[in-house]
Amino acid sequence: MDLESRGIPGGYILTEEFREADLAQARALGFSANKVFVEHPIQDRTDAEMALIAERAFAEVVAMIVTPE
Amino acid sequence: MTEQHDSYLVFLKRDCPTCVLVEPALRELESAGKILQVWSQDDPEFPGSLTAVGDDRELEQSYHWQVETVPTVIRLRGDKEVERTEGWDRAAWLNLFGTQQLAEDLPGFRPGCGSLSVQPGVAEELALRYGTSSLQARRIEIAELEDPLEACYARGWSDGLPVVPPTELRVIRMLAGTHREPAEIVGLIPPDLQPCSIEKIAINAVMAGCKPEYLPVVIAAVEAALIDEFCMHGLLATTWFSSPMIIVNGPITKAIGMNSGGNALGQGNRANATIGRALQLVIRNVGGGKPGGVDRATLGNPGKYTFCFAEDESEQRWQSVAQQRGFESQQSTVTLFAADGVQGIADQKSREPESLCRSLAASLLGVGHRKFAMLSDAFIVLCPEHLRVFTNAGWSKQQVLDRLFELTTRSGAELINGVDGIAEGMPEFVKDMQLAKFKPNGLNIVCAGGTAGLFSAIVPGWLASGDMGSSPVTKEIV
């Protein structure tokens, strides 16, 4: 919200497990930010597996920050 | 100056010996033509020898005229008070009634008794009945057949245990515990960032089961939770176990009967139990922080119901938590720590500080994960018998902390991923470093517990400590 108010496109990346948390937070703040969901889990993934997840999400992440509202 | 057309209000109760004593004086004044309106708080037949005795058993007049003592005599001009006197003081009565002589048989002075209108609990009830309520919270009507406890559950106001229904009277009584204005906003409560007034805190303190005298502690705890360094929003949202632990220091702990002794971390003390719970209910009911919503804890911990205790400050040679954090012993404070549950440490053999430090350090290494370093902070809750080992040897708290810091510093090579056949651990790049288990000032000691048992406790903290997460915060209770 802060970044966007300064004209910097923003968003966040979270795993599927946090869909409900994202909804709850958006409801709480009255604001739904741009976001991209990736598969869960990530904490115990190897670097190679993380790179693969990032690769799969890359296009969507780029679109999130370059697509005008 | 008394004038002929002045009239007088007299407040009495039969149960007051001084009120009984002054009956002859009032009779004498009435006979002399003084215009008296007597209000009796407990018996409209008393005093039987006077003509104008009103029934004030409902205490409406006493409340309206703010009577604190009986007898009280108020001189009126028209319907405005000019002056008043309390108790029996012949000189004051002579002056008030503008007379030269009065009840010469009576002693010169007798103090009065407390007015029924200011008895504990009554004043707030009268304020609700006859005053103008300043409470801003919306009133919720429930059906006559609805159980108030169940109504609170149904509306999602409970942490799982029954809450005390926050009636207007209970909230007004609770607010009597603070001098702060009910409408004062203390901050925005996460996660919904809702403005939280003193009144809202009082409502949740009622629901938690607090007594009014606990309210200043609850307010300070809420204010502390809102200090940026504590990171309450993140703490609520984390998948980790932690939630606020409240340590209370200073004279207020004894004044409100908090427990710092046996079972200090357990059940059974109303102040300990309800102050911690009140903070949790504020987060839930004002901030909207609930499990399954923004609260994403994988397991949580029982301290998320309540986790609050007083420090045992009886050992003068050791600084309390509050003193370490820059406060004087006469100041009352709350210190909040993002805490997990309690991990016990038994050491029934160490009689020397070095041995006990090694023993404590061995257990401290397990905080978070034995192969983690510089992540979680921790508190040791040091029991009196372990404290004695240090104080008998002349060790200060800082000496103990410094030694524990040394003893929990390890080679990075022992901690990296894969070592000991455990995938978890620190990243490869630390392998040539010496790594402290805790950040500087990340380890703290608080004294509490019963006098028998060489059992202390570790209270580990959130994995996200310091600038990346939460740091302990202290707030003075005012």
Side-chain angles (χ1 to χ4, degrees), chain A residues 17-18 20-21 24-25 27-29, chain B residues 191-193 233 292-294 296:
Chain A
E17 277 297 310
F18 289 87
E20 269 185 55
Q25 191 67 72
R27 271 196 301 268
L29 299 177
Chain B
D192 293 0
L193 303 180
H233 198 153
V294 174
R296 306 307 299 178

Side-chain angles (χ1 to χ4, degrees), chain B residues 208-263:
Chain B
C210 290
K211 295 168 81 171
E213 54 264 43
Y214 308 165
L215 183 59
V217 188
V218 179
I219 293 170
V222 172
E223 290 178 317
L226 297 181
I227 296 172
D228 276 351
E229 288 76 10
F230 191 63
C231 192
M232 186 64 232
H233 198 153
L235 181 60
L236 174 76
T238 181
T239 46
W240 190 248
F241 303 82
S242 308
S243 72
M245 174 180 85
I246 306 170
I247 300 167
V248 187
N249 283 102
I252 200 164
T253 62
K254 288 193 169 56
I256 64 174
M258 292 193 72
N259 184 17
S260 63
N263 214 36

Side-chain angles (χ1 to χ4, degrees), chain B residues 438-457:
Chain B
F438 301 101
K439 298 186 182 84
N441 302 318
L443 181 61
N444 296 278
I445 298 176
V446 56
C447 297
T451 49
L454 287 144
F455 310 129
S456 291

